[in-house]
Amino acid sequence: MKLRVATLALCVSATAAHAESKAWTAAKSKLPAGMTAVVGINVAPIKASALYQQFLPLEMAKAGDAKDHRDKIKATCGIDYTGVLDSIVIGMQDDDHLVAIIQLKGTTQKDLEACGQKVAKADGKTLKVTRDGAVTKYGGMGDDDAYVRWLSKTSLAISADKDTLTKLTAGGIAKDTLGADVSKLITNAA
């Protein structure tokens, strides 16, 4: 039996009107029908919570290399990557094939690519950007390449390989039997 998760960021609202997250808006038109799981996180309400404000400093103190990497990006580019996330949707076809659709806030493709070049140069590396149709391959920074399909200047889909990215951004979830039920969900809550 397929596990069907419409969104992690659900809650019941007292009003009927709601605005869905920007990543979810993009995901509905890009994710194909028949996904095993779809999980969405609306980052803004989470970051605004008192609990997040208390735990972020504690977790960053334990983050080690991740904190150092975050600090390097912030110092080199002026971008705090924990601050530029608006919302995220992860779609899974199976354990080996998934795609993340990320909506950025105040940061564009051009900004991220320029930052990647600066960070690579500071590390004595070269960021390799290769475009193949709608897919952009980013390599040269670490052990693995990243495959990205830019959906807009501030929205992207990312996966570990080009074939998975292409297949999992082919569209159609709105036509899935889950589509009608998913459209009724409130996805703008923490």
Side-chain angles (χ1 to χ4, degrees):
M1 179 174 136
K2 285 187 173 184
L3 169 65
R4 293 290 195 122
V5 179
T7 184
L8 181 63
L10 292 179
C11 86
V12 178
S13 174
T15 63
H18 67 277
E20 60 190 25
S21 74
K22 292 178 181 179
W24 180 240
T25 300
K28 288 191 307 183
S29 68
K30 298 301 178 195
L31 293 176
M35 299 295 286
T36 302
V38 178
V39 179
I41 303 168
N42 194 357
V43 179
I46 295 169
K47 289 192 306 189
S49 74
L51 189 60
Y52 178 85
Q53 298 303 323
Q54 290 176 340
F55 282 107
L56 179 64
L58 298 173
E59 291 304 311
M60 290 309 291
K62 294 188 268 182
D65 290 343
K67 182 184 182 310
D68 295 342
H69 188 67
R70 175 184 171 248
D71 292 346
K72 179 186 283 187
I73 290 171
K74 192 171 184 178
T76 305
C77 308
I79 296 173
D80 178 3
Y81 68 76
T82 60
V84 300
L85 293 176
D86 175 80
S87 49
I88 303 166
V89 172
I90 299 172
M92 290 180 58
Q93 186 176 49
D94 55 47
D95 290 345
D96 297 323
H97 299 93
L98 65 91
V99 64
I101 296 178
I102 302 169
Q103 178 65 45
L104 304 172
K105 181 176 63 174
T107 303
T108 66
Q109 174 184 359
K110 183 179 175 182
D111 298 333
L112 290 182
E113 288 179 355
C115 180
Q117 296 290 358
K118 288 178 186 177
V119 171
K121 186 176 181 180
D123 289 344
K125 298 178 181 178
T126 302
L127 174 65
K128 297 175 188 131
V129 180
T130 309
R131 289 177 175 74
D132 183 6
V135 175
T136 304
K137 175 182 169 184
Y138 296 95
M141 295 287 289
D143 296 335
D144 298 317
D145 296 330
Y147 293 84
V148 173
R149 179 176 177 195
W150 286 93
L151 308 174
S152 72
K153 290 180 182 180
T154 60
S155 181
L156 62 123
I158 185 168
S159 190
D161 66 83
K162 181 182 175 187
D163 292 339
T164 298
L165 179 64
T166 301
K167 184 176 180 180
L168 296 186
T169 56
I173 198 168
K175 298 171 190 162
D176 195 344
T177 56
L178 183 62
D181 294 330
V182 166
S183 66
K184 298 174 189 172
L185 296 174
I186 298 172
T187 61
N188 64 338

